[in-house]
Structures are given as structure tokens and as C-alpha cells.
Amino acid sequence: MASHRRPKQPSRARVTVLTTAAAAAVALSANAANAAPSEKLSKDEVKAKVDKLYEEAEKATEEYDGAKEKQGKLQKEISTVQDNVARGQEELNKLREGLGSLATAQYRSGGIDPSVQLFLSSNPDDFLDKASTLDQLSSQQVEALKKIQDKQRELAQERDEATDKLKDLAATRTELGNKKKEVQGKLAEAQKLLNTLTAKEKAELAAKQQRADRSSSERVNLGDAPPASGRAAAAFSAAQSKIGSPYVYGASGPSSFDCSGLTSWAYAQAGVSIPRTSQAQANIGTRISSASDLQVGDLVFFFNDLHHVGLYAGNGQILHAPRTGTVVRYESMDTIGGPFMFGVRV
């Protein structure tokens, strides 16, 4: 006789586990079905993405250069303030030694009078408040005490200044480290994309870049535009001597350069000191709004945030350090990748 017992039902906990597992399996299956297999980017697509990353790296490089320049200035300023504090402390010690000699002389002659006791107080301000009631203070003593007061105030201000600058230096060093990581991250990302190319594709891109570097250096018609000035001519000549030198972020010569590193180095060879970064260089000299008014040696700025700068070479060409993977070379202003904003005549 067949058994009519009801089959045993699974426990509620087991049902929950099975239901969750089934739902997860369905979700995974759906995602797998919807996710298209990753397609390999073409050589041109990789190049476009890499060029964009290099542009972003150059922008971060200018910010890195700015932080580096600020760090150097702060270190010099801190050193100067600390030297001033040290000299001021020596002067203060000598003033106090003079008061100590006065106290010693009075002690030997019969004791230190109240005025001198207050004179040696650790709080000269408190002394002056009380000293107004002491007739025995001489004008010479009052003058000496005021010198101590002035020196103490001066030292306090200089110490506060040094403290503020040290805090600013610490913040600048942090910023410098962050910008360096940002640049390195962009370059690493670009290299990762390049690594997805085949050996043949890499060779083709490298050959194309080499042809661009050679052609821009060997067969460029610069026309006959005059230099903006004698020093502009000297700066341009110095930059010409570096054609073929590699772009390296943060570099300012003499063997490698970033964009503003080249322009600041070139003008330094002409005996002219200009700021280190492109944004700071944009705020010097005389602004030239129209490209048709540019002369050889003028600084030329590109992109809305002014993160790229070069030297005008004539005939619509500039001499510059373009970006990672390139060398110092001539290039048409129309192929920079960003709009011409204005020029600056130094």
C-alpha cells in the first residue's frame, strides 16, 4: 500500500539561501549577457586618448612647477627671517647685558634700587606702567628699556612670520607631492594605453612622431619676421640651440625642458629673468592680442587656462617643448591642440 505522507518541506532559512543564490545567478547571467566583450581600441583611438592624457599631464606639470617655485622662494624667505631673528636675539642679549652691568654696579654701591629691579623685570611693559611712579629713573634708563621693548616686539613679529612661512612651506610641499603624483598617474595611464598596441602599431606611431620631429626642425619656413627686440632675438636663438632636446615634466634645462621651462631658460640666456610657469609668464610684459602682430621671440600662450607657452618663430610657427614623448621643435600654431589666446612681448 502506497504511503500518503506529505513530503518534507525545506526550512525557511534554506529557502532564503536558495532564493538569494538563484537571484544572484540570474543577475550574473543577465550582466554577462548584456556586457559586450571589451573591444580593442584602434591605433588612432589610442593615440587620441594618449594625446589627451599628455595634455592633462602638461596642465598638472605647470601646477607642479608653480608649487616647486613657491617652495624655493619660501625656503629663501624663511632662511632670511631666521637669520634676522638670530641677529635680533644677539642685539637683545647685549641690551640686557648692559642693564645687568648697571645692576651689578648699584649692588656693589649699596644695593639695587627699586627702579633697577623693575628694569630687569621679565615684563618690560609692566615695568613701564609702574615706573611712572618712580622718580629715580633717569632718561637714559628709560631709553634703554624702550630699546629692549622694541627689540622684543620685533623679535616676536619675526618669529610669528617664520612660523607662518613654515606652515605655508609644509602645505606647499604637500601640494607639490600631490601634483607630482597626478602627473605620474596621467603618464602611467597613457603608457598603459600604449601597451595595448601591437609591436607593429607602436613602431608606426613612433615613426610618425620621429618624422614630425624631423620635419618640424629641418623644413620650416619661418619667413622674415623681425625679432621683437635684441633680447627677444637672443632668447629665440638660445631656444633654437635646444631643438631636439626631449620634453621632461618639471625640467628647465639645459638638456631637457617642459614648455615654460624652455621659455624661462631661453630668456635667462638673454639676461632676462621671467617667472617659471606659463600662467605667471602671461602676466608680464606687453600683451599682444592679435597673432598678426606677433614678432619673433614673443611668448605665445594657448588653451583657456594658459597651460602651454612657446616662443613665436615667425610665419605662424612657434618653437616650443610640446609634451611628453616629443622634443623641442617648431610647430604651426594651428596644430597645437588648443586655441591661441594672446602673446606677450618681454
Side-chain angles (χ1 to χ4, degrees), residues 22-219:
V26 170
L28 288 172
S29 299
N31 289 338
N34 293 330
S38 59
E39 296 180 3
K40 184 178 182 299
L41 296 175
S42 70
K43 179 181 67 177
D44 290 340
E45 289 173 329
V46 168
K47 184 179 184 307
K49 287 180 176 291
V50 167
D51 286 347
K52 181 63 176 176
L53 285 167
Y54 283 160
E55 180 190 328
E56 292 172 355
E58 186 186 25
K59 179 179 178 180
T61 292
E62 287 302 297
E63 294 170 346
Y64 166 85
D65 290 340
K68 190 174 182 180
E69 182 180 38
K70 183 179 179 181
Q71 175 183 253
K73 287 181 178 179
L74 281 170
Q75 287 173 329
K76 289 179 181 178
E77 291 171 1
I78 288 169
S79 178
T80 299
V81 173
Q82 289 176 334
D83 287 344
N84 291 340
V85 168
R87 285 194 298 270
Q89 188 63 54
E90 289 179 2
E91 293 174 12
L92 180 60
N93 292 341
K94 288 179 181 178
L95 290 172
R96 284 174 169 165
E97 286 173 6
L99 292 181
S101 300
L102 174 62
T104 300
Q106 289 191 349
Y107 178 78
R108 288 173 178 169
S109 63
I112 302 176
D113 66 39
S115 65
V116 176
Q117 291 179 14
L118 287 174
F119 213 40
L120 298 174
S121 168
S122 60
N123 188 340
D125 288 326
D126 179 60
F127 165 74
L128 281 185
D129 290 339
K130 297 176 180 177
S132 60
T133 63
L134 299 175
D135 296 333
Q136 57 266 59
L137 274 179
S138 69
S139 60
Q140 184 178 5
Q141 289 172 331
V142 171
E143 182 180 355
L145 184 58
K146 285 183 176 179
K147 285 182 179 180
I148 290 180
Q149 281 184 301
D150 291 342
K151 183 57 62 177
Q152 284 180 324
R153 291 192 185 106
E154 180 183 330
L155 283 175
Q157 290 173 352
E158 288 178 338
R159 288 190 175 106
D160 288 343
E161 182 182 356
T163 299
D164 290 342
K165 287 185 181 297
L166 285 168
K167 290 178 181 177
D168 197 2
L169 178 60
T172 300
R173 283 175 171 162
T174 299
E175 180 187 2
L176 186 62
N178 292 338
K179 288 303 173 185
K180 184 175 183 178
K181 289 179 182 178
E182 183 178 351
V183 174
Q184 292 174 333
K186 298 290 184 185
L187 297 181
E189 191 176 349
Q191 188 58 56
K192 186 177 179 180
L193 276 171
L194 290 172
N195 289 341
T196 65
L197 298 176
T198 64
K200 181 181 178 182
E201 289 171 331
K202 290 178 184 177
E204 289 173 349
L205 280 181
K208 183 177 180 181
Q209 185 63 64
Q210 289 172 358
R211 286 194 299 272
D213 289 340
R214 284 197 303 270
S215 64
S216 68
S217 302
E218 298 170 357
R219 298 189 298 277

Side-chain angles (χ1 to χ4, degrees), residues 220-235:
V220 176
N221 177 14
L222 300 180
D224 56 0
S229 65
R231 58 188 185 180

Side-chain angles (χ1 to χ4, degrees), residues 240-308:
Q240 283 181 308
S241 72
K242 294 303 177 180
I243 289 175
S245 298
Y247 178 102
V248 174
Y249 86 88
S252 56
S255 57
S256 58
F257 304 87
D258 59 25
C259 71
S260 59
L262 175 66
T263 51
S264 60
W265 178 87
Y267 266 96
Q269 307 319 298
V272 181
S273 177
I274 65 175
R276 174 62 176 85
T277 66
S278 59
Q279 289 91 345
Q281 290 175 14
N283 292 319
I284 63 172
T286 303
R287 183 163 295 192
I288 311 298
S289 300
S290 173
S292 62
D293 294 331
L294 291 171
Q295 293 182 330
V296 174
D298 285 341
L299 299 173
V300 280
F301 299 87
F302 298 85
F303 298 94
N304 292 330
D305 59 3
L306 309 177
H307 74 256
H308 189 70

